[in-house]
PDB file of all heavy atoms in Angstrom:
ATOM      1  N   TYR W 122      -7.520  10.377   8.230  1.00 88.00           N
ATOM      2  CA  TYR W 122      -7.211   9.069   8.748  1.00 88.00           C
ATOM      3  C   TYR W 122      -7.546   9.132  10.284  1.00 88.00           C
ATOM      4  O   TYR W 122      -7.613  10.150  10.867  1.00 88.00           O
ATOM      5  CB  TYR W 122      -5.621   8.973   8.712  1.00 88.00           C
ATOM      6  CG  TYR W 122      -5.074   8.817   7.336  1.00 88.00           C
ATOM      7  CD1 TYR W 122      -4.975   9.930   6.462  1.00 88.00           C
ATOM      8  CD2 TYR W 122      -4.720   7.591   6.815  1.00 88.00           C
ATOM      9  CE1 TYR W 122      -4.457   9.764   5.106  1.00 88.00           C
ATOM     10  CE2 TYR W 122      -4.203   7.377   5.535  1.00 88.00           C
ATOM     11  CZ  TYR W 122      -4.069   8.487   4.731  1.00 88.00           C
ATOM     12  OH  TYR W 122      -3.594   8.333   3.487  1.00 88.00           O
ATOM     13  N   ILE W 135       3.311  13.493   4.996  1.00 96.00           N
ATOM     14  CA  ILE W 135       2.684  14.150   3.804  1.00 96.00           C
ATOM     15  C   ILE W 135       1.233  13.750   3.596  1.00 96.00           C
ATOM     16  O   ILE W 135       0.462  14.697   3.283  1.00 96.00           O
ATOM     17  CB  ILE W 135       3.535  13.701   2.532  1.00 96.00           C
ATOM     18  CG1 ILE W 135       2.900  14.272   1.293  1.00 96.00           C
ATOM     19  CG2 ILE W 135       3.613  12.173   2.418  1.00 96.00           C
ATOM     20  CD1 ILE W 135       3.921  14.162   0.017  1.00 96.00           C
ATOM     21  N   PHE W 136       0.804  12.537   3.982  1.00 93.00           N
ATOM     22  CA  PHE W 136      -0.573  12.154   3.619  1.00 93.00           C
ATOM     23  C   PHE W 136      -1.638  12.940   4.391  1.00 93.00           C
ATOM     24  O   PHE W 136      -2.824  13.003   3.900  1.00 93.00           O
ATOM     25  CB  PHE W 136      -0.923  10.662   3.938  1.00 93.00           C
ATOM     26  CG  PHE W 136       0.210   9.690   4.118  1.00 93.00           C
ATOM     27  CD1 PHE W 136       0.864   9.578   5.386  1.00 93.00           C
ATOM     28  CD2 PHE W 136       0.703   9.120   3.006  1.00 93.00           C
ATOM     29  CE1 PHE W 136       1.899   8.690   5.478  1.00 93.00           C
ATOM     30  CE2 PHE W 136       1.834   8.222   3.142  1.00 93.00           C
ATOM     31  CZ  PHE W 136       2.362   8.018   4.349  1.00 93.00           C
ATOM     32  N   HIS W 143       1.903  20.593   2.153  1.00 96.00           N
ATOM     33  CA  HIS W 143       1.822  19.351   1.337  1.00 96.00           C
ATOM     34  C   HIS W 143       2.568  19.610  -0.011  1.00 96.00           C
ATOM     35  O   HIS W 143       3.359  18.660  -0.375  1.00 96.00           O
ATOM     36  CB  HIS W 143       0.335  19.016   1.139  1.00 96.00           C
ATOM     37  CG  HIS W 143       0.193  17.882   0.183  1.00 96.00           C
ATOM     38  ND1 HIS W 143      -0.162  18.087  -1.136  1.00 96.00           N
ATOM     39  CD2 HIS W 143       0.338  16.511   0.381  1.00 96.00           C
ATOM     40  CE1 HIS W 143      -0.157  16.858  -1.768  1.00 96.00           C
ATOM     41  NE2 HIS W 143       0.069  16.005  -0.884  1.00 96.00           N
ATOM     42  N   ARG W 147       5.703  17.293  -1.303  1.00 96.00           N
ATOM     43  CA  ARG W 147       5.467  16.551  -2.485  1.00 96.00           C
ATOM     44  C   ARG W 147       6.657  16.793  -3.484  1.00 96.00           C
ATOM     45  O   ARG W 147       7.159  15.926  -4.148  1.00 96.00           O
ATOM     46  CB  ARG W 147       4.120  16.934  -3.085  1.00 96.00           C
ATOM     47  CG  ARG W 147       3.610  15.904  -3.953  1.00 96.00           C
ATOM     48  CD  ARG W 147       2.146  16.091  -4.358  1.00 96.00           C
ATOM     49  NE  ARG W 147       1.973  15.343  -5.532  1.00 96.00           N
ATOM     50  CZ  ARG W 147       1.785  14.020  -5.534  1.00 96.00           C
ATOM     51  NH1 ARG W 147       1.671  13.310  -4.377  1.00 96.00           N
ATOM     52  NH2 ARG W 147       1.612  13.343  -6.669  1.00 96.00           N
ATOM     53  N   PHE W 154      12.371  10.579  -6.204  1.00 96.00           N
ATOM     54  CA  PHE W 154      11.738   9.389  -6.846  1.00 96.00           C
ATOM     55  C   PHE W 154      11.477   9.588  -8.350  1.00 96.00           C
ATOM     56  O   PHE W 154      10.782   8.795  -8.938  1.00 96.00           O
ATOM     57  CB  PHE W 154      10.504   8.998  -6.095  1.00 96.00           C
ATOM     58  CG  PHE W 154      10.782   8.540  -4.675  1.00 96.00           C
ATOM     59  CD1 PHE W 154       9.837   8.594  -3.737  1.00 96.00           C
ATOM     60  CD2 PHE W 154      12.033   7.971  -4.287  1.00 96.00           C
ATOM     61  CE1 PHE W 154      10.022   8.220  -2.479  1.00 96.00           C
ATOM     62  CE2 PHE W 154      12.248   7.563  -3.023  1.00 96.00           C
ATOM     63  CZ  PHE W 154      11.265   7.656  -2.096  1.00 96.00           C
ATOM     64  N   VAL W 289       6.988   7.402   4.409  1.00 97.00           N
ATOM     65  CA  VAL W 289       7.280   6.841   3.074  1.00 97.00           C
ATOM     66  C   VAL W 289       7.558   5.363   3.200  1.00 97.00           C
ATOM     67  O   VAL W 289       7.088   4.545   2.374  1.00 97.00           O
ATOM     68  CB  VAL W 289       8.510   7.574   2.494  1.00 97.00           C
ATOM     69  CG1 VAL W 289       9.132   6.807   1.283  1.00 97.00           C
ATOM     70  CG2 VAL W 289       8.086   8.961   2.013  1.00 97.00           C
ATOM     71  N   ALA W 292       4.163   3.713   3.352  1.00 95.00           N
ATOM     72  CA  ALA W 292       3.419   3.814   2.080  1.00 95.00           C
ATOM     73  C   ALA W 292       4.063   2.809   1.063  1.00 95.00           C
ATOM     74  O   ALA W 292       3.276   2.326   0.223  1.00 95.00           O
ATOM     75  CB  ALA W 292       3.485   5.222   1.466  1.00 95.00           C
ATOM     76  N   ALA W 293       5.360   2.624   1.050  1.00 97.00           N
ATOM     77  CA  ALA W 293       5.990   1.807   0.124  1.00 97.00           C
ATOM     78  C   ALA W 293       5.818   0.322   0.296  1.00 97.00           C
ATOM     79  O   ALA W 293       5.781  -0.426  -0.674  1.00 97.00           O
ATOM     80  CB  ALA W 293       7.470   2.082   0.145  1.00 97.00           C
ATOM     81  N   THR W 296       2.151  -2.218   0.170  1.00 96.00           N
ATOM     82  CA  THR W 296       1.585  -1.998  -1.212  1.00 96.00           C
ATOM     83  C   THR W 296       2.396  -2.750  -2.300  1.00 96.00           C
ATOM     84  O   THR W 296       1.899  -3.630  -2.917  1.00 96.00           O
ATOM     85  CB  THR W 296       1.631  -0.433  -1.622  1.00 96.00           C
ATOM     86  OG1 THR W 296       2.924   0.130  -1.270  1.00 96.00           O
ATOM     87  CG2 THR W 296       0.511   0.289  -0.863  1.00 96.00           C
ATOM     88  N   THR W 297       3.739  -2.416  -2.321  1.00 98.00           N
ATOM     89  CA  THR W 297       4.526  -2.993  -3.377  1.00 98.00           C
ATOM     90  C   THR W 297       4.682  -4.526  -3.114  1.00 98.00           C
ATOM     91  O   THR W 297       4.657  -5.302  -4.052  1.00 98.00           O
ATOM     92  CB  THR W 297       5.949  -2.350  -3.345  1.00 98.00           C
ATOM     93  OG1 THR W 297       5.710  -0.923  -3.200  1.00 98.00           O
ATOM     94  CG2 THR W 297       6.710  -2.643  -4.632  1.00 98.00           C
ATOM     95  N   VAL W 300       1.587  -6.334  -4.322  1.00 97.00           N
ATOM     96  CA  VAL W 300       1.548  -6.448  -5.809  1.00 97.00           C
ATOM     97  C   VAL W 300       2.531  -7.562  -6.309  1.00 97.00           C
ATOM     98  O   VAL W 300       2.183  -8.416  -7.151  1.00 97.00           O
ATOM     99  CB  VAL W 300       1.921  -5.111  -6.429  1.00 97.00           C
ATOM    100  CG1 VAL W 300       1.997  -5.181  -8.004  1.00 97.00           C
ATOM    101  CG2 VAL W 300       0.827  -4.013  -6.141  1.00 97.00           C
ATOM    102  N   LEU W 357      -1.947  -4.673 -11.137  1.00 98.00           N
ATOM    103  CA  LEU W 357      -2.409  -3.538 -10.367  1.00 98.00           C
ATOM    104  C   LEU W 357      -3.903  -3.355 -10.512  1.00 98.00           C
ATOM    105  O   LEU W 357      -4.615  -3.066  -9.599  1.00 98.00           O
ATOM    106  CB  LEU W 357      -1.681  -2.343 -10.813  1.00 98.00           C
ATOM    107  CG  LEU W 357      -0.266  -2.170 -10.419  1.00 98.00           C
ATOM    108  CD1 LEU W 357       0.463  -1.037 -11.251  1.00 98.00           C
ATOM    109  CD2 LEU W 357      -0.155  -1.826  -8.973  1.00 98.00           C
ATOM    110  N   VAL W 362      -4.712  -3.471  -4.962  1.00 93.00           N
ATOM    111  CA  VAL W 362      -4.363  -3.659  -3.604  1.00 93.00           C
ATOM    112  C   VAL W 362      -4.828  -2.626  -2.698  1.00 93.00           C
ATOM    113  O   VAL W 362      -5.166  -2.799  -1.564  1.00 93.00           O
ATOM    114  CB  VAL W 362      -2.845  -3.870  -3.480  1.00 93.00           C
ATOM    115  CG1 VAL W 362      -2.407  -5.228  -4.123  1.00 93.00           C
ATOM    116  CG2 VAL W 362      -2.019  -2.744  -3.796  1.00 93.00           C
ATOM    117  N   LEU W 363      -4.959  -1.329  -3.134  1.00 92.00           N
ATOM    118  CA  LEU W 363      -5.645  -0.319  -2.356  1.00 92.00           C
ATOM    119  C   LEU W 363      -6.990  -0.164  -2.984  1.00 92.00           C
ATOM    120  O   LEU W 363      -7.219   0.484  -3.955  1.00 92.00           O
ATOM    121  CB  LEU W 363      -4.881   1.029  -2.441  1.00 92.00           C
ATOM    122  CG  LEU W 363      -3.747   1.221  -1.529  1.00 92.00           C
ATOM    123  CD1 LEU W 363      -3.160   2.673  -1.657  1.00 92.00           C
ATOM    124  CD2 LEU W 363      -4.066   0.976  -0.091  1.00 92.00           C
ATOM    125  N   THR W 366      -9.762   4.798  -1.194  1.00 95.00           N
ATOM    126  CA  THR W 366      -9.084   5.758  -0.263  1.00 95.00           C
ATOM    127  C   THR W 366     -10.160   6.620   0.407  1.00 95.00           C
ATOM    128  O   THR W 366     -11.328   6.496   0.045  1.00 95.00           O
ATOM    129  CB  THR W 366      -7.990   6.591  -1.031  1.00 95.00           C
ATOM    130  OG1 THR W 366      -7.248   7.335  -0.063  1.00 95.00           O
ATOM    131  CG2 THR W 366      -8.685   7.622  -2.028  1.00 95.00           C
ATOM    132  N   ARG W 368     -11.437  10.353   1.869  1.00 97.00           N
ATOM    133  CA  ARG W 368     -11.435  11.816   1.997  1.00 97.00           C
ATOM    134  C   ARG W 368     -12.572  12.260   2.868  1.00 97.00           C
ATOM    135  O   ARG W 368     -13.432  11.528   3.185  1.00 97.00           O
ATOM    136  CB  ARG W 368     -11.608  12.520   0.581  1.00 97.00           C
ATOM    137  CG  ARG W 368     -10.518  12.213  -0.429  1.00 97.00           C
ATOM    138  CD  ARG W 368      -9.255  12.897  -0.040  1.00 97.00           C
ATOM    139  NE  ARG W 368      -8.229  12.774  -1.093  1.00 97.00           N
ATOM    140  CZ  ARG W 368      -7.380  11.761  -1.145  1.00 97.00           C
ATOM    141  NH1 ARG W 368      -7.386  10.852  -0.262  1.00 97.00           N
ATOM    142  NH2 ARG W 368      -6.552  11.669  -2.184  1.00 97.00           N
ATOM    143  N   PHE W 391     -11.591   2.420  -5.990  1.00 95.00           N
ATOM    144  CA  PHE W 391     -10.791   2.177  -7.099  1.00 95.00           C
ATOM    145  C   PHE W 391     -11.119   0.836  -7.689  1.00 95.00           C
ATOM    146  O   PHE W 391     -11.164   0.617  -8.892  1.00 95.00           O
ATOM    147  CB  PHE W 391      -9.260   2.202  -6.781  1.00 95.00           C
ATOM    148  CG  PHE W 391      -8.809   3.518  -6.231  1.00 95.00           C
ATOM    149  CD1 PHE W 391      -8.007   3.617  -5.070  1.00 95.00           C
ATOM    150  CD2 PHE W 391      -9.066   4.738  -6.967  1.00 95.00           C
ATOM    151  CE1 PHE W 391      -7.514   4.811  -4.697  1.00 95.00           C
ATOM    152  CE2 PHE W 391      -8.599   5.920  -6.453  1.00 95.00           C
ATOM    153  CZ  PHE W 391      -7.825   6.017  -5.312  1.00 95.00           C
ATOM    154  N   PRO W 423      -4.493   2.803 -10.007  1.00 97.00           N
ATOM    155  CA  PRO W 423      -3.835   2.037  -8.881  1.00 97.00           C
ATOM    156  C   PRO W 423      -2.994   2.847  -8.064  1.00 97.00           C
ATOM    157  O   PRO W 423      -2.788   2.526  -6.810  1.00 97.00           O
ATOM    158  CB  PRO W 423      -2.956   1.035  -9.702  1.00 97.00           C
ATOM    159  CG  PRO W 423      -2.730   1.585 -11.009  1.00 97.00           C
ATOM    160  CD  PRO W 423      -3.852   2.411 -11.382  1.00 97.00           C
ATOM    161  N   PHE W 424      -2.518   3.987  -8.554  1.00 98.00           N
ATOM    162  CA  PHE W 424      -1.642   4.866  -7.824  1.00 98.00           C
ATOM    163  C   PHE W 424      -2.447   6.151  -7.450  1.00 98.00           C
ATOM    164  O   PHE W 424      -1.797   7.143  -7.170  1.00 98.00           O
ATOM    165  CB  PHE W 424      -0.436   5.237  -8.605  1.00 98.00           C
ATOM    166  CG  PHE W 424       0.580   4.029  -8.736  1.00 98.00           C
ATOM    167  CD1 PHE W 424       0.681   3.468 -10.038  1.00 98.00           C
ATOM    168  CD2 PHE W 424       1.260   3.561  -7.695  1.00 98.00           C
ATOM    169  CE1 PHE W 424       1.549   2.360 -10.224  1.00 98.00           C
ATOM    170  CE2 PHE W 424       2.059   2.416  -7.923  1.00 98.00           C
ATOM    171  CZ  PHE W 424       2.236   1.805  -9.140  1.00 98.00           C
ATOM    172  N   GLY W 425      -3.726   6.122  -7.433  1.00 97.00           N
ATOM    173  CA  GLY W 425      -4.535   7.268  -7.079  1.00 97.00           C
ATOM    174  C   GLY W 425      -4.566   8.292  -8.249  1.00 97.00           C
ATOM    175  O   GLY W 425      -4.249   7.961  -9.395  1.00 97.00           O
ATOM    176  N   ILE W 428      -3.639  15.514  -6.587  1.00 96.00           N
ATOM    177  CA  ILE W 428      -2.469  16.037  -5.895  1.00 96.00           C
ATOM    178  C   ILE W 428      -1.917  15.067  -4.885  1.00 96.00           C
ATOM    179  O   ILE W 428      -0.763  15.247  -4.370  1.00 96.00           O
ATOM    180  CB  ILE W 428      -2.835  17.365  -5.147  1.00 96.00           C
ATOM    181  CG1 ILE W 428      -4.116  17.214  -4.414  1.00 96.00           C
ATOM    182  CG2 ILE W 428      -2.817  18.573  -6.116  1.00 96.00           C
ATOM    183  CD1 ILE W 428      -4.373  18.391  -3.476  1.00 96.00           C
ATOM    184  N   HIS W 429      -2.702  14.042  -4.504  1.00 97.00           N
ATOM    185  CA  HIS W 429      -2.188  13.065  -3.499  1.00 97.00           C
ATOM    186  C   HIS W 429      -1.809  11.767  -4.168  1.00 97.00           C
ATOM    187  O   HIS W 429      -1.583  10.768  -3.469  1.00 97.00           O
ATOM    188  CB  HIS W 429      -3.205  12.840  -2.340  1.00 97.00           C
ATOM    189  CG  HIS W 429      -3.252  13.888  -1.383  1.00 97.00           C
ATOM    190  ND1 HIS W 429      -2.334  14.003  -0.338  1.00 97.00           N
ATOM    191  CD2 HIS W 429      -4.080  14.956  -1.333  1.00 97.00           C
ATOM    192  CE1 HIS W 429      -2.619  15.134   0.348  1.00 97.00           C
ATOM    193  NE2 HIS W 429      -3.671  15.738  -0.237  1.00 97.00           N
ATOM    194  N   SER W 430      -1.718  11.672  -5.494  1.00 97.00           N
ATOM    195  CA  SER W 430      -1.497  10.504  -6.181  1.00 97.00           C
ATOM    196  C   SER W 430       0.013  10.048  -5.770  1.00 97.00           C
ATOM    197  O   SER W 430       0.842  10.841  -5.374  1.00 97.00           O
ATOM    198  CB  SER W 430      -1.620  10.566  -7.664  1.00 97.00           C
ATOM    199  OG  SER W 430      -0.593  11.468  -8.119  1.00 97.00           O
ATOM    200  N   CYS W 431       0.312   8.774  -6.032  1.00 98.00           N
ATOM    201  CA  CYS W 431       1.471   8.138  -5.436  1.00 98.00           C
ATOM    202  C   CYS W 431       2.769   8.679  -6.054  1.00 98.00           C
ATOM    203  O   CYS W 431       3.064   8.466  -7.216  1.00 98.00           O
ATOM    204  CB  CYS W 431       1.443   6.682  -5.621  1.00 98.00           C
ATOM    205  SG  CYS W 431       2.861   5.806  -4.934  1.00 98.00           S
ATOM    206  N   PRO W 432       3.651   9.333  -5.245  1.00 98.00           N
ATOM    207  CA  PRO W 432       4.920   9.811  -5.845  1.00 98.00           C
ATOM    208  C   PRO W 432       5.922   8.649  -5.887  1.00 98.00           C
ATOM    209  O   PRO W 432       7.019   8.923  -6.512  1.00 98.00           O
ATOM    210  CB  PRO W 432       5.317  10.834  -4.799  1.00 98.00           C
ATOM    211  CG  PRO W 432       4.762  10.404  -3.483  1.00 98.00           C
ATOM    212  CD  PRO W 432       3.478   9.685  -3.824  1.00 98.00           C
ATOM    213  N   GLY W 433       5.634   7.501  -5.447  1.00 98.00           N
ATOM    214  CA  GLY W 433       6.602   6.360  -5.437  1.00 98.00           C
ATOM    215  C   GLY W 433       6.293   5.433  -6.582  1.00 98.00           C
ATOM    216  O   GLY W 433       6.922   4.296  -6.636  1.00 98.00           O
ATOM    217  N   LEU W 436       9.322   4.167  -8.597  1.00 98.00           N
ATOM    218  CA  LEU W 436      10.200   3.296  -7.926  1.00 98.00           C
ATOM    219  C   LEU W 436       9.574   1.934  -7.706  1.00 98.00           C
ATOM    220  O   LEU W 436      10.232   0.925  -7.900  1.00 98.00           O
ATOM    221  CB  LEU W 436      10.453   3.916  -6.429  1.00 98.00           C
ATOM    222  CG  LEU W 436      11.245   2.958  -5.558  1.00 98.00           C
ATOM    223  CD1 LEU W 436      12.682   2.748  -6.079  1.00 98.00           C
ATOM    224  CD2 LEU W 436      11.422   3.560  -4.192  1.00 98.00           C
ATOM    225  N   ALA W 437       8.245   1.919  -7.444  1.00 98.00           N
ATOM    226  CA  ALA W 437       7.537   0.569  -7.316  1.00 98.00           C
ATOM    227  C   ALA W 437       7.690  -0.176  -8.529  1.00 98.00           C
ATOM    228  O   ALA W 437       8.052  -1.420  -8.527  1.00 98.00           O
ATOM    229  CB  ALA W 437       6.103   0.853  -6.921  1.00 98.00           C
ATOM    230  N   GLU W 440      11.359  -1.520  -9.053  1.00 98.00           N
ATOM    231  CA  GLU W 440      11.911  -2.561  -8.267  1.00 98.00           C
ATOM    232  C   GLU W 440      11.155  -3.890  -8.610  1.00 98.00           C
ATOM    233  O   GLU W 440      11.781  -5.023  -8.642  1.00 98.00           O
ATOM    234  CB  GLU W 440      11.793  -2.311  -6.746  1.00 98.00           C
ATOM    235  CG  GLU W 440      10.367  -2.014  -6.231  1.00 98.00           C
ATOM    236  CD  GLU W 440      10.476  -1.499  -4.821  1.00 98.00           C
ATOM    237  OE1 GLU W 440      10.836  -2.208  -3.933  1.00 98.00           O
ATOM    238  OE2 GLU W 440       9.938  -0.369  -4.593  1.00 98.00           O
ATOM    239  N   ILE W 441       9.875  -3.738  -9.030  1.00 98.00           N
ATOM    240  CA  ILE W 441       9.113  -4.984  -9.496  1.00 98.00           C
ATOM    241  C   ILE W 441       9.815  -5.556 -10.699  1.00 98.00           C
ATOM    242  O   ILE W 441      10.038  -6.788 -10.845  1.00 98.00           O
ATOM    243  CB  ILE W 441       7.617  -4.682  -9.707  1.00 98.00           C
ATOM    244  CG1 ILE W 441       6.968  -4.268  -8.392  1.00 98.00           C
ATOM    245  CG2 ILE W 441       6.877  -5.790 -10.310  1.00 98.00           C
ATOM    246  CD1 ILE W 441       5.545  -3.755  -8.444  1.00 98.00           C
TER     247      ILE W 441
HETATM  248  C1  LIG H 410       2.609  -0.885  -6.123  1.00 56.74           C
HETATM  249  C2  LIG H 410       2.911  -0.139  -5.066  1.00 56.74           C
HETATM  250  C3  LIG H 410       2.129   1.072  -4.656  1.00 56.74           C
HETATM  251  C4  LIG H 410       0.766   1.352  -4.742  1.00 56.74           C
HETATM  252  C5  LIG H 410      -0.302   0.502  -5.387  1.00 56.74           C
HETATM  253  C6  LIG H 410       0.603   2.693  -4.153  1.00 56.74           C
HETATM  254  C7  LIG H 410      -0.656   3.356  -4.177  1.00 56.74           C
HETATM  255  C8  LIG H 410      -0.792   4.653  -3.727  1.00 56.74           C
HETATM  256  C9  LIG H 410      -2.009   5.329  -3.786  1.00 56.74           C
HETATM  257  C10 LIG H 410      -3.339   4.807  -4.366  1.00 56.74           C
HETATM  258  C11 LIG H 410      -1.860   6.519  -3.193  1.00 56.74           C
HETATM  259  C12 LIG H 410      -2.918   7.689  -3.062  1.00 56.74           C
HETATM  260  C13 LIG H 410      -3.616   7.557  -1.811  1.00 56.74           C
HETATM  261  C14 LIG H 410      -4.754   8.612  -1.776  1.00 56.74           C
HETATM  262  O1  LIG H 410      -5.045   9.420  -2.660  1.00 56.74           O
HETATM  263  O2  LIG H 410      -5.338   8.750  -0.657  1.00 56.74           O
HETATM  264  C15 LIG H 410      -0.457   6.605  -2.747  1.00 56.74           C
HETATM  265  C16 LIG H 410       0.077   7.694  -2.054  1.00 56.74           C
HETATM  266  C17 LIG H 410       1.384   7.695  -1.679  1.00 56.74           C
HETATM  267  N1  LIG H 410       2.369   6.688  -1.902  1.00 56.74           N
HETATM  268 FE1  LIG H 410       2.123   4.972  -2.925  1.00 56.74          FE
HETATM  269  N2  LIG H 410       1.790   3.154  -3.758  1.00 56.74           N
HETATM  270  C18 LIG H 410       2.721   2.268  -4.014  1.00 56.74           C
HETATM  271  C19 LIG H 410       4.072   2.372  -3.687  1.00 56.74           C
HETATM  272  C20 LIG H 410       4.734   3.403  -3.100  1.00 56.74           C
HETATM  273  C21 LIG H 410       6.132   3.610  -2.961  1.00 56.74           C
HETATM  274  C22 LIG H 410       7.229   2.527  -3.457  1.00 56.74           C
HETATM  275  C23 LIG H 410       6.306   4.723  -2.329  1.00 56.74           C
HETATM  276  C24 LIG H 410       7.652   5.421  -1.815  1.00 56.74           C
HETATM  277  C25 LIG H 410       8.772   4.928  -1.917  1.00 56.74           C
HETATM  278  C26 LIG H 410       4.976   5.349  -2.078  1.00 56.74           C
HETATM  279  C27 LIG H 410       4.794   6.575  -1.458  1.00 56.74           C
HETATM  280  C28 LIG H 410       3.589   7.185  -1.325  1.00 56.74           C
HETATM  281  C29 LIG H 410       3.295   8.402  -0.724  1.00 56.74           C
HETATM  282  C30 LIG H 410       4.465   9.235   0.055  1.00 56.74           C
HETATM  283  C31 LIG H 410       2.023   8.742  -0.899  1.00 56.74           C
HETATM  284  C32 LIG H 410       1.278   9.973  -0.363  1.00 56.74           C
HETATM  285  C33 LIG H 410       1.230  11.128  -1.397  1.00 56.74           C
HETATM  286  C34 LIG H 410       0.510  12.430  -0.992  1.00 56.74           C
HETATM  287  O3  LIG H 410      -0.252  12.336  -0.014  1.00 56.74           O
HETATM  288  O4  LIG H 410       0.808  13.380  -1.596  1.00 56.74           O
HETATM  289  N3  LIG H 410       4.089   4.506  -2.670  1.00 56.74           N
HETATM  290  N4  LIG H 410       0.137   5.405  -2.976  1.00 56.74           N
END
Side-chain angles (χ1 to χ4, degrees):
Y122 291 80
I135 182 167
F136 339 91
H143 173 261
R147 202 167 162 82
F154 294 154
V289 163
T296 46
T297 317
V300 172
L357 286 165
V362 296
L363 278 182
T366 188
R368 295 290 186 270
F391 298 133
F424 293 108
I428 50 168
H429 284 278
S430 66
C431 181
L436 175 63
E440 59 190 301
I441 294 173

